[in-house]
Amino acid sequence: MAVASAPSAPPPPPPGAVRLATVNVRSVCDRWMQRRPLLRARLAELDADVLAMQEVLTGSYGQDRALLQVGAHDLRTHGQERSRETAKADSGEVGRAKSESSDHGELDEVRARTAGRGSDSVTGYQTVLGCRAALHALRAEKRWYWVIIAGPYGLVQLIGSAVMRPLPAAIEILRERLAAGSGRMCGRLLAELLLPLRQIVFLPWYGNSIAVRGAELVPDGSSLEPLASAGQRIAEDGEVDGPAVVRPVVGTHDLLSIGHMRSAHRVLCVVPDDRVARTEKRAHDRSPGVSNVAGRGVERPQQDASASAGTSHPRRMWVVNCHLHHDSDAPEVRVRQLQSVLDWLDAAEHEQPSDATVLMGDLNASPDEPALALLRDAGFWSAHAAANNGHEPKATYPSGIEAPLTDQDPPATIDYIFVRGAARCVGAHVVLTRPDDDDPTLFASDHFGIMADIEMRTPDL
């Protein structure tokens, strides 16, 4: 099987391509203190325009923005009123986090503060969109222990997230030391007995995150068409500074509970005009107009002649980050979960039509599972397969990391980037495949990641 991997640093993206990447970061498990600098370095190497992370501790914990080395920032939480003092305690920065359009409090939006001509984020990400999926799932699924653990008067609220913040890593380190200590069977049993406690202290922050290179974009009314420099940074003197970047649209970040303590979240991004290729349609392109997805009837934005004539025409791209149910013996659950995501996404596209849609993440499904067939029937195609003669990776999990509590599972391909719409994949790789230079048993995560370079297409008329 031909598999494209990146044994060294990933190649630079082709000019004009949008680089996408998805990584399950394994929260603070599996030798976290040792692999944290390695994971941080590997994420920086990806140089992705849009990065999806699963199993990350987001919100006030800030594992996502710490990995991306986002410096001074403002943290805003949807769906709950918080005082300036609370926001300051949670994020470490002065800022106000107010209730916005969402009706729940599990969506977090982090804006990197710009200093001079660019973001103070070392990796350049100016927007980090997190969802505390576990809390949201507890609430949406009406689990009885929601009230006890995370409800308005639950343990999390009474103790306070600021007090609990040191506990996830500390408890996991204790569990690993017990499992690795003398009397291995006894130690592993004690580690398993501590698992429920670990789950409780993970709850306030456990979820997924989408990092986007550019700052949030406020559309002019309901139209994004006039935004000629949609993704360009503007210097203090008003001049364009630096290359055009992909930017998320304000008010489009949303979260969906899909059952079994899992959630998906989405955001609409704008790809600036000079990142759009104008060539004839090829394989995997999707023409504007009504989608070719049978029975779904999703309206795509219509192409106008001004685009091919050189007039600015930024492209819209919905990005969905998913983490599906993990039980290998329950493929029907993943089918139901993806069907819910597709219905939810179709509703969003009716309200905010896009030129292309990206669905990526840890889908916990092998390439031949019915869940992925459902995606293909809905018009999606795998970026890795498109760029590698129809082949998926040999495996994206497990990576080979050795840790006292590492899951012992057979190799499987379960991480993907799927695309539909006016786009073409010009390259895709398996990433995070290199172990630490000094320790061949230490990898950045227990998963490899997937990286894809996508050309947004505007067919000549």
Side-chain angles (χ1 to χ4, degrees), residues 260 325-337 369:
H260 291 265
H325 185 50
H326 66 279
D327 189 346
S328 60
D329 295 326
E332 72 283 354
V333 172
R334 287 182 286 277
V335 170
R336 291 196 299 268
Q337 289 178 326
E369 268 203 25

Side-chain angles (χ1 to χ4, degrees), residues 318-393:
W318 276 108
V319 175
V320 184
N321 184 13
C322 283
H323 188 198
L324 301 186
H325 185 50
H326 66 279
D327 189 346
S328 60
D329 295 326
E332 72 283 354
V333 172
R334 287 182 286 277
V335 170
R336 291 196 299 268
Q337 289 178 326
L338 275 180
Q339 185 62 65
S340 297
V341 171
L342 289 173
D343 293 342
W344 176 64
L345 184 56
D346 285 351
E349 290 185 329
H350 277 294
E351 184 176 342
Q352 289 271 19
S354 67
D355 299 278
T357 302
V358 174
L359 188 153
M360 54 184 169
D362 176 3
L363 303 187
N364 277 310
S366 60
D368 58 351
E369 268 203 25
L372 300 194
L374 180 67
L375 278 181
R376 297 184 187 100
D377 289 344
F380 284 93
W381 42 268
S382 165
H384 190 279
N388 292 279
N389 299 316
H391 296 300
E392 296 291 1

Side-chain angles (χ1 to χ4, degrees), residues 29-107:
C29 301
D30 291 345
R31 301 167 63 187
W32 169 242
M33 300 306 291
Q34 294 171 276
R35 68 182 180 86
R36 176 172 59 182
L38 179 62
L39 177 57
R40 181 181 293 172
R42 296 292 187 259
L43 292 178
E45 288 177 352
L46 297 181
D47 194 25
D49 293 289
V50 182
L51 171 65
M53 292 180 281
Q54 305 86 45
E55 292 195 41
V56 64
L57 301 184
T58 183
S60 61
Y61 195 95
Q63 183 186 23
D64 44 7
R65 58 184 181 270
L67 285 170
L68 300 177
Q69 303 175 74
V70 176
H73 58 270
D74 294 300
L75 171 67
R76 181 181 68 180
T77 299
H78 281 193
Q80 56 186 1
E81 291 287 341
R82 302 193 306 170
S83 66
R84 180 180 294 271
E85 289 74 19
T86 303
K88 188 188 302 184
D90 281 358
S91 67
E93 301 296 331
V94 177
R96 182 179 297 271
K98 285 191 173 182
S99 174
E100 300 248 336
S101 59
S102 181
D103 61 353
H104 42 71
E106 290 85 40
L107 285 175

Side-chain angles (χ1 to χ4, degrees), residues 225 288 301-309 311-313 315 458-459 461:
E225 302 302 334
Q302 296 290 336
Q303 174 69 40
D304 58 53
S306 63
S308 60
T311 304
S312 172
H313 190 77
R315 303 285 93 184
T458 299
L461 298 181

Side-chain angles (χ1 to χ4, degrees), residues 9 21 36 63-64 117 124 187 190 206 250 282 292 319 329 393 441:
R36 176 172 59 182
Q63 183 186 23
D64 44 7
R117 289 181 171 263
L190 290 173
Y206 186 83
V250 166
R282 304 180 192 178
N292 65 348
V319 175
D329 295 326
T441 70

Side-chain angles (χ1 to χ4, degrees), residues 365-445:
S366 60
D368 58 351
E369 268 203 25
L372 300 194
L374 180 67
L375 278 181
R376 297 184 187 100
D377 289 344
F380 284 93
W381 42 268
S382 165
H384 190 279
N388 292 279
N389 299 316
H391 296 300
E392 296 291 1
K394 290 181 179 178
T396 62
Y397 168 85
S399 63
I401 188 171
E402 295 182 11
L405 294 173
T406 301
D407 294 329
Q408 301 298 320
D409 296 314
T413 299
I414 55 178
D415 301 88
Y416 303 90
I417 297 175
F418 277 91
V419 184
R420 75 178 177 192
R424 183 174 71 96
C425 184
V426 294
H429 302 271
V430 182
V431 292
L432 276 67
T433 58
R434 287 180 297 147
D436 182 75
D437 292 339
D438 300 318
D439 184 352
T441 70
L442 181 64
F443 286 79
S445 177

